[in-house]
Amino acid sequence: MTVLTDGLVRAEWSDDGVFEDRATMFALRRDLPVPEFRVVDGPQAIEIITARLHLRYDRRAFSPSGLTVRPLGIGRGLEEWKFGEVLDLGGTARTLDNVDGRAPLGSGIVSKRGVGVIDDSSSFVFTDDGWVSPRAGSETDLYVFAYAHDYRGALRAFYDVSGSTPVLPRWAFGNWWSRYHRYTADSYRRLLDRFERERVRFSVAVLDMDWHRVDSVPPEHGSGWTGYSWEPEFFPDPEAFLDELHRRGLKVTLNLHPADGVRSFEDAYRAMAEALGHDPDLGERIPFEITDPAFLAAYFEVLHHPLEAQGVDFWWMDWQHGPHSQVPGVDPLWMLNHFHYLDSARRGEHPLLLSRYAGPGSHRYPLGFSGDTYISWDSLAFQPEFTATASNIGYGWWSHDIGGHMLGSRDDELTVRWVQLGVYSPILRLHSTDNPFLAKEPWAFPAEPRAALGDALRERVRLVPYLHAMNHRAAAGAPLVQPLYYEWPEEPEAYTVPTQFLFGSELLVAPITSPRDEVTLRGSVTAWLPPGVWTDIHSGEVLQGGRRIELHRDLASIPVLLKAGGILPLAAADETDAAANPARFDLVIAPGADGEFTLVEDDGELDGDVVRTPIRWDRARGELVVGPASGQSGVVPEVRTWAVTFLGLGAEEVPGAEASASGATVTVSGDAESRLVVSTAPGATPRTRGREERIFAVLNAAQCPYDTKERAWKLLTSGRPAVDVWADLHALGLPPALVGALAEQLTAL
């Protein structure tokens, strides 16, 4: 038994007396500061007691009666854990390939009962020289997290042992264009030209497997899934093509399926054969042997580094290599993730890899590629839960096939709702399978979904300043997407809304994952609003929390709620370079409580310079203070402009402001290293603006009789007491969805 923290104990049992003290794929470090603990060495059992747990062990092979842990924290429903129990809140999965709806999840480290466990018994170990090896013995190796309902505390302990999540490059938070499609260099350029005319900008170009030879592979070599040679018919001048993408501000990733090794038709075959001591004139296939150090060295130096020299920025590790290698217990996926990620750091920039999850510890090698989901409402409905629950195993950076990958039927509304969720996902990577009708380009849709898709993709770019600040926060131990029970663990409702999630420190998202109502023409979600006041950043509605509510939205947006005192930094609409630290911001404030936020920016280099700009809102004084920025000069623009919108306030409450449908906006400029102040009326209380206009819009869109709508309108604008209005509204016999949409407006603050 090793007491690692006051809430984390490592419990090992070995029949042969051989124990493993080397680092494993999960546990990189166990030499942590020793917490206070007490040992009771009794006649029947050993007991270990810390501030958070009480462990009892009978000195025998582990059993449910002989190894128990009781959490000592405060919380509803805490119970003693017995060896063998798996009763946690879930973790994540290796892939969503071929999933239509829900998928089974692995275990996480947090539980409503207070104890979660990682079984590290089968993971391989690192040798002193950084290579890998099977374990020496046959031990049972458990990490028991007894943090009660302090889920974030458990996560901090997880990162203490397993290592932190690295900082991602800023450009990763822009839009990614990906499609399994036979692009040529010319067709790809035309595509980007069209996106530019549509005012939609991407920061990452993803080229699926047809970048390399597929149909032109000689038939005697088998399939074309594996390849390292550009298809000359499509890309006759790869360097010029990649230079053009870089000139447009795009990073480039190429798809890999390495399982078939290296065959003699490859451009790099002769060099690869010579590097490994093979006779290249024999033309024999060089097998994929990821556990062979010589093969791994040549795999990078001969196959990948030359392509990177041409302009490939990082790699998309796709499937086709299975869970087994020539060394028992060593997963080739994990090997690829680990060594690809280390190799990508050699150029001094933040490394990146797109690949599948390979078990606890995978958070050290972002990003996760979740695989090929079916296109269905059920798949969309599961994706928010899947993303948030992954935080329970420390895995915060999932990249999904936004819009779904394959099968299904065309449903423009489904596509829009999926892309809107993608805006509030860790990574927004559009993707679809090889089908000429499976397009995600906005201009391929009718007017309403086309506008919504374009707006969503532009909104994602504006979110990058917030996302990059949360990126640095994630590296300090707080994943971007978290379940609501992380913040409200004693609220039973927090466990009943799996599609809702916290998006960073300021936002709560309740995506719409079902088709819209035929009467209201609005999608809806039954949400739980946690205690406090919440303001929708799109609609400007100010809503009282501590209740369940139906939220109704037209196709233009989903509910994204800013907490009271929340501060949301957005790039101005014309700041479309996701890689750049902008000079112009739109700063959105929910002024119902005090708040503070630190904008974090960097120079893009690994271990480079970081600049922090504090932003503070004092409601009682009516004072917003921006800056001064601290850090190395030259990282951010010297002069910055801030268009500050106070949601729910009128122009009369903010000197010099202009009124909008959602609040009041005032613009200030100044040196980044100076202190800028914006004043409002002291103690201002936000309110939903334009209630009558909102009610009219709901009724106007409703597909129901005109005279019924007119009677409802007269009733709703009569000025009578709300109780009477509500009773009479029900008496009109309006469709339930329409009543729900009106109720949302009537109960807004």
Side-chain angles (χ1 to χ4, degrees):
M1 301 292 171
T2 308
V3 181
L4 295 170
T5 73
D6 60 0
L8 174 58
V9 173
R10 185 188 189 198
E12 302 171 87
W13 171 270
S14 174
D15 291 325
D16 55 16
V18 177
F19 294 90
E20 186 58 78
D21 291 327
R22 291 174 292 179
T24 70
M25 56 186 288
F26 159 65
L28 288 186
R29 55 193 184 207
R30 307 183 193 94
D31 187 15
L32 304 176
V34 180
E36 291 186 9
F37 66 92
R38 182 163 55 95
V39 176
V40 179
D41 194 358
Q44 303 298 322
I46 291 174
E47 299 175 68
I48 300 173
I49 304 166
T50 75
R52 290 186 185 266
L53 63 83
H54 186 163
L55 180 150
R56 183 185 180 279
Y57 169 53
D58 66 359
R59 300 187 182 88
R60 303 175 183 177
F62 294 160
S63 70
S65 60
L67 177 59
T68 62
V69 176
R70 180 175 297 279
L72 301 182
I74 298 173
R76 300 176 183 175
L78 299 181
E79 295 182 27
E80 182 178 80
W81 170 83
K82 299 175 178 60
F83 171 76
E85 290 183 332
V86 180
L87 297 168
D88 57 76
L89 287 163
T92 194
R94 188 176 180 107
T95 179
L96 292 179
D97 274 351
N98 300 311
V99 169
D100 185 6
R102 297 190 61 82
L105 299 176
S107 291
I109 61 169
V110 301
S111 168
K112 289 178 71 174
R113 294 176 55 175
V115 180
V117 179
I118 287 180
D119 187 343
D120 200 38
S121 306
S122 61
S123 68
F124 54 84
V125 299
F126 288 105
T127 58
D128 291 340
D129 61 358
W131 194 239
V132 298
S133 169
R135 286 174 175 260
S138 58
E139 63 177 321
T140 298
D141 189 0
L142 306 179
Y143 290 79
V144 184
F145 294 79
Y147 277 81
H149 288 168
D150 181 8
Y151 302 141
R152 288 175 174 143
L155 203 54
R156 287 191 294 271
F158 173 92
Y159 290 132
D160 284 343
V161 172
S162 195
S164 60
T165 296
V167 172
L168 274 59
R170 182 187 181 103
W171 46 260
F173 298 109
N175 295 312
W176 295 34
W177 178 257
S178 181
R179 184 182 180 187
Y180 184 12
H181 185 74
R182 285 172 172 77
Y183 285 114
T184 67
D186 289 338
S187 68
Y188 211 95
R189 291 188 189 100
R190 290 194 297 271
L191 173 77
L192 295 176
D193 288 340
R194 180 62 185 271
F195 272 119
E196 187 174 340
R197 293 196 298 272
E198 297 281 329
R199 298 185 299 108
V200 172
R201 186 163 182 181
F202 290 85
S203 61
V204 178
V206 184
L207 295 177
D208 210 320
M209 58 178 291
D210 287 300
W211 70 271
H212 63 71
R213 295 180 64 182
V214 177
D215 294 337
S216 64
V217 171
E220 64 269 22
H221 292 287
S223 81
W225 283 97
T226 298
Y228 303 96
S229 308
W230 289 93
E231 173 52 70
E233 181 183 351
F234 298 161
F235 301 97
D237 189 344
E239 291 90 343
F241 172 66
L242 295 173
D243 284 346
E244 172 69 9
L245 296 186
H246 288 153
R247 186 189 65 78
R248 293 172 182 258
L250 290 155
K251 300 293 184 178
V252 183
T253 184
L254 304 183
N255 176 280
L256 293 174
H257 293 84
D260 281 341
V262 186
R263 294 165 288 178
S264 62
F265 65 84
E266 298 282 8
D267 296 341
Y269 175 78
R270 177 168 292 274
M272 190 73 176
E274 291 174 350
L276 294 173
H278 294 215
D279 183 352
D281 294 328
L282 294 177
E284 296 176 342
R285 181 179 69 91
I286 302 171
F288 175 73
E289 302 288 4
I290 195 65
T291 55
D292 176 3
F295 175 85
L296 188 65
Y299 171 81
F300 288 117
E301 293 171 9
V302 177
L303 297 179
H304 293 83
H305 293 177
L307 291 166
E308 292 171 15
Q310 288 181 332
V312 178
D313 296 289
F314 67 106
W315 298 96
W316 171 15
M317 181 57 56
D318 211 333
W319 201 233
Q320 218 205 359
H321 38 70
H324 304 293
S325 69
Q326 290 189 339
V327 178
V330 175
D331 183 348
L333 173 62
W334 199 96
M335 290 282 289
L336 286 163
N337 290 354
H338 177 72
F339 287 105
H340 258 288
Y341 195 81
L342 293 182
D343 186 70
S344 69
R346 76 186 191 282
R347 291 177 287 183
E349 300 174 345
H350 291 292
L352 199 69
L353 174 70
L354 182 63
S355 186
R356 284 174 170 81
Y357 176 78
S362 295
H363 64 279
R364 300 191 299 269
Y365 317 111
L367 300 158
F369 164 51
S370 63
D372 302 341
T373 52
Y374 287 13
I375 299 171
S376 71
W377 285 100
D378 287 340
S379 292
L380 171 61
F382 179 59
Q383 205 159 93
E385 177 186 357
F386 179 82
T387 308
T389 306
S391 290
N392 295 344
I393 197 65
Y395 198 72
W397 295 121
W398 271 116
S399 171
H400 304 298
D401 284 4
I402 297 301
H405 181 77
M406 61 187 181
L407 302 179
S409 300
R410 174 159 179 164
D411 187 330
D412 295 349
E413 182 189 3
L414 172 61
T415 301
V416 169
R417 294 306 190 195
W418 213 320
V419 173
Q420 288 170 337
L421 171 63
V423 174
Y424 293 92
S425 295
I427 299 297
L428 196 164
R429 179 180 53 83
L430 300 169
H431 193 61
S432 56
T433 193
D434 186 12
N435 184 317
F437 298 102
L438 251 175
K440 301 278 173 63
E441 296 91 335
W443 56 86
F445 294 81
E448 186 188 20
R450 174 178 177 171
L453 289 169
D455 288 345
L457 295 171
R458 285 183 283 271
E459 181 182 0
R460 176 67 183 200
V461 177
R462 298 185 65 211
L463 271 170
V464 170
Y466 177 71
L467 289 164
H468 194 45
M470 294 301 102
N471 177 26
H472 281 269
R473 176 176 176 261
L480 171 68
V481 177
Q482 298 179 10
L484 265 59
Y485 48 75
Y486 272 44
E487 185 69 24
W488 297 277
E490 304 307 326
E491 295 280 357
E493 296 276 16
Y495 298 86
T496 66
V497 283
T499 63
Q500 286 181 236
F501 53 89
L502 296 171
F503 192 69
S505 61
E506 312 297 294
L507 295 172
L508 183 153
V509 181
I512 293 174
T513 59
S514 59
R516 60 184 170 186
D517 178 72
E518 294 181 355
V519 173
T520 64
L521 301 183
R522 293 175 178 238
S524 66
V525 54
T526 300
W528 174 66
L529 298 187
V533 175
W534 300 87
T535 305
D536 191 306
I537 66 169
H538 297 128
S539 71
E541 283 181 272
V542 183
L543 301 167
Q544 181 63 54
R547 59 179 175 136
R548 293 185 80 90
I549 182 176
E550 283 188 3
L551 300 173
H552 300 254
R553 298 291 181 271
D554 62 20
L555 199 60
S557 71
I558 59 174
V560 179
L561 307 175
L562 187 60
K563 69 182 183 181
I567 298 172
L568 178 64
L570 304 172
D574 59 350
E575 293 274 4
T576 60
D577 184 356
N581 298 317
R584 294 172 300 283
F585 290 87
D586 290 335
L587 194 59
V588 182
I589 313 295
D594 292 347
E596 59 181 45
F597 184 91
T598 300
L599 180 67
V600 185
E601 301 165 285
D602 58 45
D603 62 3
E605 299 297 321
L606 190 62
D607 300 321
D609 293 320
V610 175
V611 171
R612 291 178 169 83
T613 303
I615 306 170
R616 297 182 179 87
W617 162 245
D618 187 321
R619 178 173 178 250
R621 298 179 61 181
E623 184 177 84
L624 177 77
V625 179
V626 180
S630 62
Q632 183 66 39
S633 62
V635 174
V636 302
E638 293 182 6
V639 177
R640 304 187 115 166
T641 299
W642 307 81
V644 184
T645 297
F646 294 93
L647 296 175
L649 298 189
E652 71 281 359
E653 298 174 277
V654 184
E658 295 183 0
S660 67
S662 59
T665 302
V666 63
T667 301
V668 294
S669 297
D671 293 339
E673 297 179 3
S674 65
R675 181 176 181 268
L676 299 177
V677 179
V678 179
S679 297
T680 72
T685 299
R687 287 287 182 264
T688 301
R689 320 296 295 183
R691 189 187 307 272
E692 285 197 2
E693 290 86 347
R694 295 168 184 271
I695 291 172
F696 184 87
V698 171
L699 285 170
N700 189 46
Q703 307 292 291
C704 66
Y706 291 113
D707 57 347
T708 301
K709 294 200 286 187
E710 184 179 19
R711 288 196 296 271
W713 172 247
K714 289 179 179 179
L715 176 61
L716 290 163
T717 57
S718 65
R720 295 169 54 194
V723 174
D724 295 341
V725 169
W726 189 242
D728 289 351
L729 194 64
H730 276 281
L732 287 177
L734 296 175
L738 181 54
V739 173
L742 293 170
E744 178 187 348
Q745 300 300 325
L746 290 174
T747 59
L749 297 176

